[in-house]
Amino acid sequence: MQLKPVDTFETISPEQFRKDYYLQGKPVIIKSLAHQWPAYTKWNWDFLKQAAGHHQVGIYNNVKSDAYTPINTADDYKTFGEYIDMISQGPAGWRIFLFNIFDHSPELTNDFTWPEEYLKGFVKKYPMLFVGGATSITHMHFDIDLSHILHTQFVGRKRVLLFPYEEQHKLYRKPFEVLSLADFSNYHLNTGKPDYEAFPALRKANGYEVILEHGDTLFMPAGYWHHMEYLDSGFAMSLRALQEGVGAKLHGVWNLFGMRGIDTLLKKTAPQWWYAYKKKKAFAAADRQL
């Protein structure tokens, strides 16, 4: 893979952000964006446990999806407090996906501000926490609604691989899904090399690599592919903003209610045939990139 570092600024003006990153569809890190938020110093494991520790949450392991894996179905359930205790004690390959802690503790929304000087169209009902134990993995995917994301890391370090949407076939995108067929598990442990023998088109993929630390805010443009590895147990918050154009919004709606509906139906009715079909199509599209 051809990977570059993500441009990083301590601060950046909204004008430069829009001209050089938003309009160019290019990721960027703003290191101090969240530093003035109360959350920057307040939010830690003890604080979150006190705020929402008694609520039950779905947790996800590192096993990559197969023909029978339902969409967004948890692998186990614990209270949020039990989960925090588990991942705080050492490496634990379990993560929480799309946890809207603000439904349970709405007062936490007072601990940050929406950075509307940078982005418009924030979906303010759905700020989300993403929590993981050290060694847990978020497999390579892009967000189905095609929103822009401001992703702020609060505790721990996290390695992120990023690729523009247009690199989808080099990443072996599964048709009717937002997931890559290629397995990037243990990317770091394998000295930064995925399985090029099984997935040769990955060699031609052009993207970025970065390690997020406490307080870093990463701008991920709409449709960007991302793979995340929790180097330490930690958590981050994503703020989502809709794209400006009507066509882009409709594409996101199609993904949510059309594409995903078709995939769910065929996973239930003909899982093996459907998986084999998608695998064949993914490899054929990747081979055309070689």
Side-chain angles (χ1 to χ4, degrees):
M1 298 183 293
Q2 313 303 312
L3 301 176
K4 299 182 292 186
V6 176
D7 288 351
T8 300
F9 296 87
E10 192 67 30
T11 61
I12 185 173
S13 70
E15 295 75 20
Q16 184 183 359
F17 170 82
R18 182 169 180 83
K19 178 173 68 76
D20 293 340
Y21 298 98
Y22 180 86
L23 293 178
Q24 301 299 324
K26 185 178 177 183
V28 64
I29 291 173
I30 309 173
K31 294 192 73 68
S32 66
L33 179 67
H35 287 192
Q36 73 275 19
W37 297 349
Y40 177 65
T41 53
K42 283 175 62 176
W43 288 9
N44 54 38
W45 294 126
D46 290 338
F47 181 81
L48 293 189
K49 188 175 177 179
Q50 183 176 9
H54 62 287
H55 291 287
Q56 189 177 66
V57 293
I59 62 177
Y60 297 76
N61 60 31
N62 284 343
V63 177
K64 193 165 167 56
S65 61
D66 61 16
Y68 299 96
T69 303
I71 300 294
N72 296 343
T73 299
D75 298 299
D76 199 359
Y77 292 88
K78 290 183 179 292
T79 68
F80 190 41
E82 290 171 339
Y83 171 73
I84 288 175
D85 289 342
M86 178 178 69
I87 67 171
S88 298
Q89 293 171 3
W94 292 90
R95 62 187 177 88
I96 296 178
F97 169 70
L98 290 178
F99 178 37
N100 194 345
I101 192 174
F102 309 99
D103 274 349
H104 309 300
S105 303
E107 70 278 4
L108 296 186
T109 58
N110 297 322
D111 289 343
F112 65 90
T113 56
W114 298 88
E116 293 179 303
E117 67 273 25
Y118 292 103
L119 289 174
K120 302 297 183 184
F122 281 111
V123 185
K124 294 187 177 180
K125 187 178 179 181
Y126 297 109
M128 293 289 179
L129 282 192
F130 292 83
V131 190
T135 72
S136 63
I137 293 168
T138 303
H139 292 285
M140 185 69 74
H141 71 289
F142 67 90
D143 289 356
I144 194 168
D145 64 349
L146 298 176
S147 291
H148 299 297
I149 305 294
L150 287 175
H151 187 78
T152 300
Q153 188 73 20
F154 284 100
V155 170
R157 298 169 304 140
K158 186 160 55 185
R159 183 187 306 275
V160 185
L161 298 179
L162 293 161
F163 296 90
Y165 181 82
E166 293 74 21
E167 298 293 284
Q168 59 179 323
H169 298 310
K170 299 173 188 174
L171 299 175
Y172 296 81
R173 178 189 174 180
K174 292 192 280 186
F176 290 88
E177 291 193 49
V178 299
L179 298 171
S180 167
L181 186 67
D183 192 353
F184 289 80
S185 298
N186 301 317
Y187 167 82
H188 176 57
L189 297 178
N190 291 334
T191 64
K193 294 181 180 178
D195 189 348
Y196 288 131
E197 295 300 317
F199 303 101
L202 291 179
R203 294 182 184 275
K204 294 184 173 291
N206 294 288
Y208 302 85
E209 181 176 17
V210 66
I211 293 178
L212 298 179
E213 299 181 339
H214 178 221
D216 289 350
T217 297
L218 169 65
F219 168 63
M220 285 194 293
Y224 250 71
W225 290 82
H226 47 286
H227 164 90
M228 297 185 174
E229 298 177 1
Y230 288 79
L231 304 180
D232 310 306
S233 294
F235 66 90
M237 178 179 68
S238 280
L239 304 180
R240 317 179 73 79
L242 298 176
Q243 294 189 69
E244 294 178 354
V246 174
K249 291 183 176 73
L250 290 176
H251 191 178
V253 170
W254 155 250
N255 285 353
L256 280 164
F257 300 106
M259 182 185 75
R260 186 163 68 176
I262 293 169
D263 186 56
T264 299
L265 175 64
L266 287 167
K267 273 187 174 180
K268 290 179 178 178
T269 56
Q272 290 182 318
W273 173 84
W274 183 231
Y275 186 81
Y277 169 82
K278 290 189 291 186
K279 184 176 180 179
K280 180 180 178 180
K281 288 290 186 179
F283 272 94
D287 288 345
R288 290 194 288 271
Q289 304 295 316
L290 296 174

